[in-house]
Amino acid sequence: VTLQLYDLAGADDALRFSPNCWRTRLALAHKGLDVETIPWRFTETHRLAFSGQGKVPILVHDGRSVHDSWTIALYLEETWPDRPSLFGGAAGLALARFMNHWADNVVQAGLVRMIVADIVHCLHPKDRDYFRTSREARFGATLESVGADRDQRIGAFRQSLQPLRLTVQERPFLGGDRPLYADYVAFGGFQWARTVSSFAVLDDSDPVAAWRDRMLDLYGGLARGVPARAA
Ligand SMILES: N[C@@H](CCC(=O)N[C@@H](CS)C(=O)NCC(=O)O)C(=O)O
């Protein structure tokens, strides 16, 4: 099987920080599939033209391209049904869709304001102007002012994680004894934060931090083995 993944990179090729790309990296590892990751930077949109859109992750499989992390997860499940399931059946797939929306709209939306000013320092110099201009337009404020009140925001963010906290106190993973795609979508945002920022988004004693540690240990420490600014 020949698989390639276009993966967002920072200044250093080894700095892979995209939350949505991490979902896909872990989904591929779950299926036991080897992948060649291709470092890509925000301003290299021409390199993604083959996919008909401008965002990563993009999976290339035997010349076919699949984009959007959720669509890629469905593709992996359909293409390799005999390998460990990402969803645990149709009902699990439907519930994973809820987790995907929760990860986008609560976890990652909560984190972005606290880390966006740190991201710019991790980027390749050629990406910095694009990132600052596009994100400042999105927030209607400078990156520094978006992040300035993070010490006040962190309490509400941690409180928003209560459903995840209570679940991973009852069992090791959202999937039960083993992780499922639901775990990978929830984890992507925490991996994003730890790779770009030294800001402590979780308290050390938080059960969510213990779950994050278990996620970092998976697949030979796949997610732990990249450069990161926090433990
Ligand atoms: N819904 C998409 C979102 C993909 C996405 O937003 N990717 C970001 C990196 S995490 C990107 O490529 N952004 C390009 C840009 O902002 O120019 C997915 O889940 O894959």
Side-chain angles (χ1 to χ4, degrees), residues 19-20 23-24 57 68-74 87 92-109 174 181-187 189:
N20 303 318
R23 298 175 184 185
T24 302
D68 184 273
S69 56
W70 177 256
T71 307
I72 293 170
L74 298 180
F87 303 107
L93 190 155
L95 289 170
R97 188 61 173 153
F98 170 84
M99 281 303 302
N100 195 97
H101 289 311
W102 186 74
D104 286 344
N105 292 280
V106 177
V107 183
Q108 292 177 197
L174 297 173
Y181 193 67
D183 290 273
Y184 308 143
V185 287
F187 173 74

PDB file of all heavy atoms in Angstrom, residues 19-20 23-24 57 68-74 87 92-109 174 181-187 189:
ATOM      1  N   PRO A  19      -4.032  19.996  14.447  1.00  0.00           N
ATOM      2  CA  PRO A  19      -4.902  19.071  15.185  1.00  0.00           C
ATOM      3  C   PRO A  19      -5.628  18.093  14.267  1.00  0.00           C
ATOM      4  O   PRO A  19      -5.814  16.920  14.612  1.00  0.00           O
ATOM      5  CB  PRO A  19      -5.897  20.002  15.885  1.00  0.00           C
ATOM      6  CG  PRO A  19      -5.879  21.279  15.103  1.00  0.00           C
ATOM      7  CD  PRO A  19      -4.473  21.396  14.563  1.00  0.00           C
ATOM      8  N   ASN A  20      -6.025  18.596  13.096  1.00  0.00           N
ATOM      9  CA  ASN A  20      -6.785  17.733  12.187  1.00  0.00           C
ATOM     10  C   ASN A  20      -5.881  16.708  11.516  1.00  0.00           C
ATOM     11  O   ASN A  20      -6.314  15.581  11.249  1.00  0.00           O
ATOM     12  CB  ASN A  20      -7.537  18.593  11.175  1.00  0.00           C
ATOM     13  CG  ASN A  20      -8.456  19.585  11.878  1.00  0.00           C
ATOM     14  OD1 ASN A  20      -9.123  19.239  12.849  1.00  0.00           O
ATOM     15  ND2 ASN A  20      -8.456  20.825  11.429  1.00  0.00           N
ATOM     16  N   ARG A  23      -5.398  13.786  13.963  1.00  0.00           N
ATOM     17  CA  ARG A  23      -6.499  12.813  13.926  1.00  0.00           C
ATOM     18  C   ARG A  23      -6.169  11.723  12.896  1.00  0.00           C
ATOM     19  O   ARG A  23      -6.339  10.530  13.151  1.00  0.00           O
ATOM     20  CB  ARG A  23      -7.806  13.489  13.516  1.00  0.00           C
ATOM     21  CG  ARG A  23      -8.279  14.572  14.458  1.00  0.00           C
ATOM     22  CD  ARG A  23      -9.516  15.271  13.891  1.00  0.00           C
ATOM     23  NE  ARG A  23      -9.914  16.390  14.747  1.00  0.00           N
ATOM     24  CZ  ARG A  23     -10.995  17.124  14.560  1.00  0.00           C
ATOM     25  NH1 ARG A  23     -11.811  16.879  13.544  1.00  0.00           N
ATOM     26  NH2 ARG A  23     -11.289  18.112  15.378  1.00  0.00           N
ATOM     27  N   THR A  24      -5.730  12.179  11.727  1.00  0.00           N
ATOM     28  CA  THR A  24      -5.463  11.237  10.629  1.00  0.00           C
ATOM     29  C   THR A  24      -4.226  10.379  10.908  1.00  0.00           C
ATOM     30  O   THR A  24      -4.218   9.177  10.631  1.00  0.00           O
ATOM     31  CB  THR A  24      -5.314  12.011   9.308  1.00  0.00           C
ATOM     32  OG1 THR A  24      -6.510  12.752   9.065  1.00  0.00           O
ATOM     33  CG2 THR A  24      -5.050  11.072   8.143  1.00  0.00           C
ATOM     34  N   PRO A  57      -5.560  17.886   6.545  1.00  0.00           N
ATOM     35  CA  PRO A  57      -4.879  16.774   5.900  1.00  0.00           C
ATOM     36  C   PRO A  57      -5.458  16.397   4.537  1.00  0.00           C
ATOM     37  O   PRO A  57      -6.657  16.534   4.308  1.00  0.00           O
ATOM     38  CB  PRO A  57      -5.105  15.618   6.892  1.00  0.00           C
ATOM     39  CG  PRO A  57      -6.422  15.926   7.544  1.00  0.00           C
ATOM     40  CD  PRO A  57      -6.421  17.428   7.674  1.00  0.00           C
ATOM     41  N   ASP A  68     -10.147  16.261   4.084  1.00  0.00           N
ATOM     42  CA  ASP A  68     -10.986  16.458   5.274  1.00  0.00           C
ATOM     43  C   ASP A  68     -10.782  15.240   6.195  1.00  0.00           C
ATOM     44  O   ASP A  68     -10.988  14.098   5.788  1.00  0.00           O
ATOM     45  CB  ASP A  68     -12.469  16.628   4.923  1.00  0.00           C
ATOM     46  CG  ASP A  68     -13.279  16.916   6.176  1.00  0.00           C
ATOM     47  OD1 ASP A  68     -13.701  15.955   6.837  1.00  0.00           O
ATOM     48  OD2 ASP A  68     -13.442  18.098   6.513  1.00  0.00           O
ATOM     49  N   SER A  69     -10.393  15.531   7.430  1.00  0.00           N
ATOM     50  CA  SER A  69     -10.026  14.438   8.344  1.00  0.00           C
ATOM     51  C   SER A  69     -11.169  13.446   8.562  1.00  0.00           C
ATOM     52  O   SER A  69     -10.933  12.233   8.644  1.00  0.00           O
ATOM     53  CB  SER A  69      -9.537  15.005   9.684  1.00  0.00           C
ATOM     54  OG  SER A  69     -10.513  15.857  10.263  1.00  0.00           O
ATOM     55  N   TRP A  70     -12.397  13.936   8.640  1.00  0.00           N
ATOM     56  CA  TRP A  70     -13.534  13.015   8.844  1.00  0.00           C
ATOM     57  C   TRP A  70     -13.720  12.119   7.616  1.00  0.00           C
ATOM     58  O   TRP A  70     -13.889  10.896   7.726  1.00  0.00           O
ATOM     59  CB  TRP A  70     -14.814  13.810   9.142  1.00  0.00           C
ATOM     60  CG  TRP A  70     -16.026  12.933   9.283  1.00  0.00           C
ATOM     61  CD1 TRP A  70     -17.022  12.758   8.376  1.00  0.00           C
ATOM     62  CD2 TRP A  70     -16.340  12.085  10.406  1.00  0.00           C
ATOM     63  NE1 TRP A  70     -17.956  11.862   8.862  1.00  0.00           N
ATOM     64  CE2 TRP A  70     -17.558  11.435  10.106  1.00  0.00           C
ATOM     65  CE3 TRP A  70     -15.711  11.809  11.627  1.00  0.00           C
ATOM     66  CZ2 TRP A  70     -18.157  10.525  10.982  1.00  0.00           C
ATOM     67  CZ3 TRP A  70     -16.319  10.902  12.501  1.00  0.00           C
ATOM     68  CH2 TRP A  70     -17.519  10.275  12.177  1.00  0.00           C
ATOM     69  N   THR A  71     -13.667  12.718   6.435  1.00  0.00           N
ATOM     70  CA  THR A  71     -13.823  11.951   5.199  1.00  0.00           C
ATOM     71  C   THR A  71     -12.705  10.915   5.064  1.00  0.00           C
ATOM     72  O   THR A  71     -12.934   9.784   4.609  1.00  0.00           O
ATOM     73  CB  THR A  71     -13.843  12.903   3.983  1.00  0.00           C
ATOM     74  OG1 THR A  71     -14.837  13.901   4.216  1.00  0.00           O
ATOM     75  CG2 THR A  71     -14.165  12.176   2.689  1.00  0.00           C
ATOM     76  N   ILE A  72     -11.500  11.293   5.488  1.00  0.00           N
ATOM     77  CA  ILE A  72     -10.375  10.345   5.448  1.00  0.00           C
ATOM     78  C   ILE A  72     -10.641   9.169   6.395  1.00  0.00           C
ATOM     79  O   ILE A  72     -10.403   8.007   6.048  1.00  0.00           O
ATOM     80  CB  ILE A  72      -9.050  11.048   5.806  1.00  0.00           C
ATOM     81  CG1 ILE A  72      -8.665  12.062   4.724  1.00  0.00           C
ATOM     82  CG2 ILE A  72      -7.926  10.021   6.000  1.00  0.00           C
ATOM     83  CD1 ILE A  72      -7.495  12.991   5.101  1.00  0.00           C
ATOM     84  N   ALA A  73     -11.162   9.456   7.587  1.00  0.00           N
ATOM     85  CA  ALA A  73     -11.449   8.370   8.539  1.00  0.00           C
ATOM     86  C   ALA A  73     -12.469   7.390   7.947  1.00  0.00           C
ATOM     87  O   ALA A  73     -12.307   6.167   8.055  1.00  0.00           O
ATOM     88  CB  ALA A  73     -11.948   8.942   9.865  1.00  0.00           C
ATOM     89  N   LEU A  74     -13.510   7.929   7.302  1.00  0.00           N
ATOM     90  CA  LEU A  74     -14.508   7.055   6.667  1.00  0.00           C
ATOM     91  C   LEU A  74     -13.862   6.240   5.546  1.00  0.00           C
ATOM     92  O   LEU A  74     -14.155   5.051   5.379  1.00  0.00           O
ATOM     93  CB  LEU A  74     -15.659   7.888   6.089  1.00  0.00           C
ATOM     94  CG  LEU A  74     -16.480   8.724   7.079  1.00  0.00           C
ATOM     95  CD1 LEU A  74     -17.583   9.474   6.333  1.00  0.00           C
ATOM     96  CD2 LEU A  74     -17.068   7.872   8.190  1.00  0.00           C
ATOM     97  N   PHE A  87     -14.368   2.806  14.483  1.00  0.00           N
ATOM     98  CA  PHE A  87     -15.635   3.268  15.053  1.00  0.00           C
ATOM     99  C   PHE A  87     -16.355   2.210  15.878  1.00  0.00           C
ATOM    100  O   PHE A  87     -17.231   2.553  16.675  1.00  0.00           O
ATOM    101  CB  PHE A  87     -16.568   3.735  13.926  1.00  0.00           C
ATOM    102  CG  PHE A  87     -15.971   4.813  13.058  1.00  0.00           C
ATOM    103  CD1 PHE A  87     -15.545   4.544  11.771  1.00  0.00           C
ATOM    104  CD2 PHE A  87     -15.831   6.099  13.548  1.00  0.00           C
ATOM    105  CE1 PHE A  87     -15.000   5.539  10.967  1.00  0.00           C
ATOM    106  CE2 PHE A  87     -15.280   7.108  12.759  1.00  0.00           C
ATOM    107  CZ  PHE A  87     -14.863   6.826  11.467  1.00  0.00           C
ATOM    108  N   GLY A  92     -21.360   3.301  16.572  1.00  0.00           N
ATOM    109  CA  GLY A  92     -20.155   3.987  17.035  1.00  0.00           C
ATOM    110  C   GLY A  92     -19.746   5.089  16.072  1.00  0.00           C
ATOM    111  O   GLY A  92     -19.286   6.167  16.491  1.00  0.00           O
ATOM    112  N   LEU A  93     -19.919   4.828  14.786  1.00  0.00           N
ATOM    113  CA  LEU A  93     -19.605   5.856  13.788  1.00  0.00           C
ATOM    114  C   LEU A  93     -20.493   7.082  13.986  1.00  0.00           C
ATOM    115  O   LEU A  93     -20.021   8.227  13.976  1.00  0.00           O
ATOM    116  CB  LEU A  93     -19.770   5.270  12.379  1.00  0.00           C
ATOM    117  CG  LEU A  93     -19.277   6.100  11.204  1.00  0.00           C
ATOM    118  CD1 LEU A  93     -18.948   5.192  10.019  1.00  0.00           C
ATOM    119  CD2 LEU A  93     -20.272   7.159  10.763  1.00  0.00           C
ATOM    120  N   ALA A  94     -21.774   6.840  14.207  1.00  0.00           N
ATOM    121  CA  ALA A  94     -22.701   7.970  14.400  1.00  0.00           C
ATOM    122  C   ALA A  94     -22.315   8.777  15.642  1.00  0.00           C
ATOM    123  O   ALA A  94     -22.327  10.014  15.629  1.00  0.00           O
ATOM    124  CB  ALA A  94     -24.129   7.445  14.521  1.00  0.00           C
ATOM    125  N   LEU A  95     -21.933   8.093  16.725  1.00  0.00           N
ATOM    126  CA  LEU A  95     -21.540   8.803  17.941  1.00  0.00           C
ATOM    127  C   LEU A  95     -20.200   9.515  17.768  1.00  0.00           C
ATOM    128  O   LEU A  95     -19.985  10.591  18.342  1.00  0.00           O
ATOM    129  CB  LEU A  95     -21.472   7.827  19.118  1.00  0.00           C
ATOM    130  CG  LEU A  95     -22.841   7.337  19.600  1.00  0.00           C
ATOM    131  CD1 LEU A  95     -22.675   6.197  20.605  1.00  0.00           C
ATOM    132  CD2 LEU A  95     -23.635   8.473  20.231  1.00  0.00           C
ATOM    133  N   ALA A  96     -19.306   8.929  16.955  1.00  0.00           N
ATOM    134  CA  ALA A  96     -18.015   9.584  16.692  1.00  0.00           C
ATOM    135  C   ALA A  96     -18.222  10.906  15.961  1.00  0.00           C
ATOM    136  O   ALA A  96     -17.421  11.842  16.115  1.00  0.00           O
ATOM    137  CB  ALA A  96     -17.105   8.670  15.874  1.00  0.00           C
ATOM    138  N   ARG A  97     -19.297  11.000  15.181  1.00  0.00           N
ATOM    139  CA  ARG A  97     -19.576  12.265  14.486  1.00  0.00           C
ATOM    140  C   ARG A  97     -19.899  13.373  15.497  1.00  0.00           C
ATOM    141  O   ARG A  97     -19.490  14.518  15.325  1.00  0.00           O
ATOM    142  CB  ARG A  97     -20.736  12.072  13.494  1.00  0.00           C
ATOM    143  CG  ARG A  97     -20.970  13.249  12.588  1.00  0.00           C
ATOM    144  CD  ARG A  97     -19.745  13.559  11.721  1.00  0.00           C
ATOM    145  NE  ARG A  97     -20.010  14.589  10.729  1.00  0.00           N
ATOM    146  CZ  ARG A  97     -19.072  15.404  10.230  1.00  0.00           C
ATOM    147  NH1 ARG A  97     -17.816  15.305  10.620  1.00  0.00           N
ATOM    148  NH2 ARG A  97     -19.375  16.298   9.326  1.00  0.00           N
ATOM    149  N   PHE A  98     -20.604  13.001  16.556  1.00  0.00           N
ATOM    150  CA  PHE A  98     -20.825  13.976  17.632  1.00  0.00           C
ATOM    151  C   PHE A  98     -19.483  14.411  18.227  1.00  0.00           C
ATOM    152  O   PHE A  98     -19.231  15.608  18.420  1.00  0.00           O
ATOM    153  CB  PHE A  98     -21.720  13.383  18.739  1.00  0.00           C
ATOM    154  CG  PHE A  98     -21.770  14.262  19.963  1.00  0.00           C
ATOM    155  CD1 PHE A  98     -22.649  15.324  20.038  1.00  0.00           C
ATOM    156  CD2 PHE A  98     -20.887  14.042  21.022  1.00  0.00           C
ATOM    157  CE1 PHE A  98     -22.663  16.166  21.156  1.00  0.00           C
ATOM    158  CE2 PHE A  98     -20.894  14.879  22.141  1.00  0.00           C
ATOM    159  CZ  PHE A  98     -21.781  15.939  22.201  1.00  0.00           C
ATOM    160  N   MET A  99     -18.604  13.464  18.509  1.00  0.00           N
ATOM    161  CA  MET A  99     -17.298  13.797  19.089  1.00  0.00           C
ATOM    162  C   MET A  99     -16.508  14.706  18.147  1.00  0.00           C
ATOM    163  O   MET A  99     -15.782  15.594  18.587  1.00  0.00           O
ATOM    164  CB  MET A  99     -16.486  12.532  19.366  1.00  0.00           C
ATOM    165  CG  MET A  99     -16.880  11.799  20.616  1.00  0.00           C
ATOM    166  SD  MET A  99     -16.782  12.839  22.113  1.00  0.00           S
ATOM    167  CE  MET A  99     -15.060  13.323  22.071  1.00  0.00           C
ATOM    168  N   ASN A 100     -16.635  14.458  16.836  1.00  0.00           N
ATOM    169  CA  ASN A 100     -15.918  15.279  15.859  1.00  0.00           C
ATOM    170  C   ASN A 100     -16.393  16.739  15.948  1.00  0.00           C
ATOM    171  O   ASN A 100     -15.577  17.672  15.986  1.00  0.00           O
ATOM    172  CB  ASN A 100     -16.163  14.710  14.464  1.00  0.00           C
ATOM    173  CG  ASN A 100     -15.197  15.239  13.425  1.00  0.00           C
ATOM    174  OD1 ASN A 100     -14.208  14.589  13.120  1.00  0.00           O
ATOM    175  ND2 ASN A 100     -15.476  16.409  12.875  1.00  0.00           N
ATOM    176  N   HIS A 101     -17.700  16.917  16.035  1.00  0.00           N
ATOM    177  CA  HIS A 101     -18.227  18.281  16.140  1.00  0.00           C
ATOM    178  C   HIS A 101     -17.883  18.907  17.499  1.00  0.00           C
ATOM    179  O   HIS A 101     -17.620  20.106  17.580  1.00  0.00           O
ATOM    180  CB  HIS A 101     -19.749  18.277  15.930  1.00  0.00           C
ATOM    181  CG  HIS A 101     -20.149  17.995  14.515  1.00  0.00           C
ATOM    182  ND1 HIS A 101     -19.597  18.642  13.432  1.00  0.00           N
ATOM    183  CD2 HIS A 101     -21.048  17.126  13.998  1.00  0.00           C
ATOM    184  CE1 HIS A 101     -20.150  18.196  12.321  1.00  0.00           C
ATOM    185  NE2 HIS A 101     -21.026  17.268  12.637  1.00  0.00           N
ATOM    186  N   TRP A 102     -17.880  18.102  18.536  1.00  0.00           N
ATOM    187  CA  TRP A 102     -17.531  18.612  19.871  1.00  0.00           C
ATOM    188  C   TRP A 102     -16.054  19.025  19.898  1.00  0.00           C
ATOM    189  O   TRP A 102     -15.706  20.088  20.422  1.00  0.00           O
ATOM    190  CB  TRP A 102     -17.825  17.547  20.931  1.00  0.00           C
ATOM    191  CG  TRP A 102     -17.636  18.039  22.330  1.00  0.00           C
ATOM    192  CD1 TRP A 102     -18.468  18.880  23.013  1.00  0.00           C
ATOM    193  CD2 TRP A 102     -16.555  17.738  23.217  1.00  0.00           C
ATOM    194  NE1 TRP A 102     -17.950  19.116  24.281  1.00  0.00           N
ATOM    195  CE2 TRP A 102     -16.788  18.433  24.422  1.00  0.00           C
ATOM    196  CE3 TRP A 102     -15.392  16.948  23.094  1.00  0.00           C
ATOM    197  CZ2 TRP A 102     -15.909  18.362  25.510  1.00  0.00           C
ATOM    198  CZ3 TRP A 102     -14.533  16.881  24.175  1.00  0.00           C
ATOM    199  CH2 TRP A 102     -14.787  17.580  25.371  1.00  0.00           C
ATOM    200  N   ALA A 103     -15.212  18.215  19.288  1.00  0.00           N
ATOM    201  CA  ALA A 103     -13.778  18.550  19.243  1.00  0.00           C
ATOM    202  C   ALA A 103     -13.548  19.850  18.471  1.00  0.00           C
ATOM    203  O   ALA A 103     -12.761  20.707  18.886  1.00  0.00           O
ATOM    204  CB  ALA A 103     -12.994  17.397  18.613  1.00  0.00           C
ATOM    205  N   ASP A 104     -14.242  20.013  17.354  1.00  0.00           N
ATOM    206  CA  ASP A 104     -14.085  21.242  16.553  1.00  0.00           C
ATOM    207  C   ASP A 104     -14.615  22.464  17.303  1.00  0.00           C
ATOM    208  O   ASP A 104     -13.964  23.508  17.342  1.00  0.00           O
ATOM    209  CB  ASP A 104     -14.887  21.153  15.242  1.00  0.00           C
ATOM    210  CG  ASP A 104     -14.265  20.229  14.210  1.00  0.00           C
ATOM    211  OD1 ASP A 104     -13.080  19.871  14.343  1.00  0.00           O
ATOM    212  OD2 ASP A 104     -14.994  19.857  13.256  1.00  0.00           O
ATOM    213  N   ASN A 105     -15.809  22.323  17.874  1.00  0.00           N
ATOM    214  CA  ASN A 105     -16.560  23.497  18.340  1.00  0.00           C
ATOM    215  C   ASN A 105     -16.386  23.819  19.814  1.00  0.00           C
ATOM    216  O   ASN A 105     -16.689  24.939  20.230  1.00  0.00           O
ATOM    217  CB  ASN A 105     -18.052  23.317  18.027  1.00  0.00           C
ATOM    218  CG  ASN A 105     -18.299  23.357  16.535  1.00  0.00           C
ATOM    219  OD1 ASN A 105     -18.349  24.430  15.956  1.00  0.00           O
ATOM    220  ND2 ASN A 105     -18.388  22.203  15.903  1.00  0.00           N
ATOM    221  N   VAL A 106     -15.923  22.863  20.593  1.00  0.00           N
ATOM    222  CA  VAL A 106     -15.684  23.128  22.015  1.00  0.00           C
ATOM    223  C   VAL A 106     -14.174  23.043  22.314  1.00  0.00           C
ATOM    224  O   VAL A 106     -13.581  24.007  22.774  1.00  0.00           O
ATOM    225  CB  VAL A 106     -16.490  22.178  22.927  1.00  0.00           C
ATOM    226  CG1 VAL A 106     -16.163  22.427  24.398  1.00  0.00           C
ATOM    227  CG2 VAL A 106     -17.989  22.369  22.672  1.00  0.00           C
ATOM    228  N   VAL A 107     -13.558  21.903  22.023  1.00  0.00           N
ATOM    229  CA  VAL A 107     -12.152  21.736  22.416  1.00  0.00           C
ATOM    230  C   VAL A 107     -11.247  22.678  21.594  1.00  0.00           C
ATOM    231  O   VAL A 107     -10.555  23.529  22.152  1.00  0.00           O
ATOM    232  CB  VAL A 107     -11.684  20.273  22.267  1.00  0.00           C
ATOM    233  CG1 VAL A 107     -10.242  20.136  22.748  1.00  0.00           C
ATOM    234  CG2 VAL A 107     -12.603  19.330  23.045  1.00  0.00           C
ATOM    235  N   GLN A 108     -11.273  22.536  20.293  1.00  0.00           N
ATOM    236  CA  GLN A 108     -10.351  23.338  19.468  1.00  0.00           C
ATOM    237  C   GLN A 108     -10.738  24.817  19.445  1.00  0.00           C
ATOM    238  O   GLN A 108      -9.867  25.688  19.473  1.00  0.00           O
ATOM    239  CB  GLN A 108     -10.224  22.740  18.065  1.00  0.00           C
ATOM    240  CG  GLN A 108      -9.504  21.389  18.145  1.00  0.00           C
ATOM    241  CD  GLN A 108      -9.355  20.622  16.853  1.00  0.00           C
ATOM    242  OE1 GLN A 108      -9.075  19.425  16.898  1.00  0.00           O
ATOM    243  NE2 GLN A 108      -9.525  21.254  15.706  1.00  0.00           N
ATOM    244  N   ALA A 109     -12.043  25.087  19.444  1.00  0.00           N
ATOM    245  CA  ALA A 109     -12.481  26.488  19.482  1.00  0.00           C
ATOM    246  C   ALA A 109     -12.099  27.140  20.810  1.00  0.00           C
ATOM    247  O   ALA A 109     -11.787  28.334  20.853  1.00  0.00           O
ATOM    248  CB  ALA A 109     -13.983  26.580  19.247  1.00  0.00           C
ATOM    249  N   LEU A 174     -12.178   6.819  25.448  1.00  0.00           N
ATOM    250  CA  LEU A 174     -13.571   7.026  25.029  1.00  0.00           C
ATOM    251  C   LEU A 174     -14.102   5.749  24.391  1.00  0.00           C
ATOM    252  O   LEU A 174     -15.283   5.431  24.517  1.00  0.00           O
ATOM    253  CB  LEU A 174     -13.673   8.205  24.059  1.00  0.00           C
ATOM    254  CG  LEU A 174     -13.274   9.567  24.653  1.00  0.00           C
ATOM    255  CD1 LEU A 174     -13.255  10.632  23.559  1.00  0.00           C
ATOM    256  CD2 LEU A 174     -14.217   9.972  25.764  1.00  0.00           C
ATOM    257  N   TYR A 181     -11.656   6.166  17.054  1.00  0.00           N
ATOM    258  CA  TYR A 181     -11.497   7.453  16.381  1.00  0.00           C
ATOM    259  C   TYR A 181     -11.978   8.609  17.256  1.00  0.00           C
ATOM    260  O   TYR A 181     -11.422   9.709  17.200  1.00  0.00           O
ATOM    261  CB  TYR A 181     -12.221   7.442  15.020  1.00  0.00           C
ATOM    262  CG  TYR A 181     -11.825   8.632  14.174  1.00  0.00           C
ATOM    263  CD1 TYR A 181     -10.531   8.742  13.689  1.00  0.00           C
ATOM    264  CD2 TYR A 181     -12.730   9.654  13.901  1.00  0.00           C
ATOM    265  CE1 TYR A 181     -10.136   9.848  12.948  1.00  0.00           C
ATOM    266  CE2 TYR A 181     -12.342  10.759  13.149  1.00  0.00           C
ATOM    267  CZ  TYR A 181     -11.045  10.843  12.675  1.00  0.00           C
ATOM    268  OH  TYR A 181     -10.656  11.933  11.944  1.00  0.00           O
ATOM    269  N   ALA A 182     -13.005   8.374  18.077  1.00  0.00           N
ATOM    270  CA  ALA A 182     -13.487   9.414  18.993  1.00  0.00           C
ATOM    271  C   ALA A 182     -12.347   9.949  19.863  1.00  0.00           C
ATOM    272  O   ALA A 182     -12.262  11.155  20.129  1.00  0.00           O
ATOM    273  CB  ALA A 182     -14.598   8.851  19.880  1.00  0.00           C
ATOM    274  N   ASP A 183     -11.454   9.057  20.308  1.00  0.00           N
ATOM    275  CA  ASP A 183     -10.301   9.504  21.100  1.00  0.00           C
ATOM    276  C   ASP A 183      -9.356  10.369  20.259  1.00  0.00           C
ATOM    277  O   ASP A 183      -8.800  11.353  20.763  1.00  0.00           O
ATOM    278  CB  ASP A 183      -9.523   8.295  21.623  1.00  0.00           C
ATOM    279  CG  ASP A 183     -10.281   7.527  22.706  1.00  0.00           C
ATOM    280  OD1 ASP A 183     -10.164   7.901  23.894  1.00  0.00           O
ATOM    281  OD2 ASP A 183     -10.989   6.564  22.347  1.00  0.00           O
ATOM    282  N   TYR A 184      -9.171   9.995  19.011  1.00  0.00           N
ATOM    283  CA  TYR A 184      -8.210  10.737  18.175  1.00  0.00           C
ATOM    284  C   TYR A 184      -8.716  12.149  17.884  1.00  0.00           C
ATOM    285  O   TYR A 184      -7.928  13.093  17.855  1.00  0.00           O
ATOM    286  CB  TYR A 184      -7.901   9.992  16.864  1.00  0.00           C
ATOM    287  CG  TYR A 184      -7.496   8.553  17.101  1.00  0.00           C
ATOM    288  CD1 TYR A 184      -7.895   7.538  16.237  1.00  0.00           C
ATOM    289  CD2 TYR A 184      -6.738   8.210  18.218  1.00  0.00           C
ATOM    290  CE1 TYR A 184      -7.543   6.219  16.474  1.00  0.00           C
ATOM    291  CE2 TYR A 184      -6.389   6.887  18.467  1.00  0.00           C
ATOM    292  CZ  TYR A 184      -6.799   5.898  17.584  1.00  0.00           C
ATOM    293  OH  TYR A 184      -6.461   4.594  17.821  1.00  0.00           O
ATOM    294  N   VAL A 185     -10.019  12.293  17.671  1.00  0.00           N
ATOM    295  CA  VAL A 185     -10.535  13.649  17.404  1.00  0.00           C
ATOM    296  C   VAL A 185     -10.410  14.517  18.655  1.00  0.00           C
ATOM    297  O   VAL A 185     -10.020  15.683  18.568  1.00  0.00           O
ATOM    298  CB  VAL A 185     -11.989  13.683  16.870  1.00  0.00           C
ATOM    299  CG1 VAL A 185     -12.053  13.213  15.450  1.00  0.00           C
ATOM    300  CG2 VAL A 185     -12.956  12.927  17.719  1.00  0.00           C
ATOM    301  N   ALA A 186     -10.712  13.934  19.809  1.00  0.00           N
ATOM    302  CA  ALA A 186     -10.598  14.728  21.039  1.00  0.00           C
ATOM    303  C   ALA A 186      -9.135  15.068  21.332  1.00  0.00           C
ATOM    304  O   ALA A 186      -8.825  16.159  21.815  1.00  0.00           O
ATOM    305  CB  ALA A 186     -11.212  13.964  22.206  1.00  0.00           C
ATOM    306  N   PHE A 187      -8.236  14.150  21.022  1.00  0.00           N
ATOM    307  CA  PHE A 187      -6.822  14.341  21.330  1.00  0.00           C
ATOM    308  C   PHE A 187      -6.138  15.372  20.430  1.00  0.00           C
ATOM    309  O   PHE A 187      -5.192  16.047  20.857  1.00  0.00           O
ATOM    310  CB  PHE A 187      -6.090  12.988  21.209  1.00  0.00           C
ATOM    311  CG  PHE A 187      -4.602  13.085  21.349  1.00  0.00           C
ATOM    312  CD1 PHE A 187      -4.024  13.299  22.598  1.00  0.00           C
ATOM    313  CD2 PHE A 187      -3.771  12.962  20.242  1.00  0.00           C
ATOM    314  CE1 PHE A 187      -2.635  13.398  22.731  1.00  0.00           C
ATOM    315  CE2 PHE A 187      -2.390  13.058  20.365  1.00  0.00           C
ATOM    316  CZ  PHE A 187      -1.824  13.273  21.611  1.00  0.00           C
ATOM    317  N   GLY A 189      -6.657  18.319  19.419  1.00  0.00           N
ATOM    318  CA  GLY A 189      -6.524  19.675  19.959  1.00  0.00           C
ATOM    319  C   GLY A 189      -5.476  19.778  21.054  1.00  0.00           C
ATOM    320  O   GLY A 189      -4.755  20.776  21.151  1.00  0.00           O
TER     321      GLY A 189
END
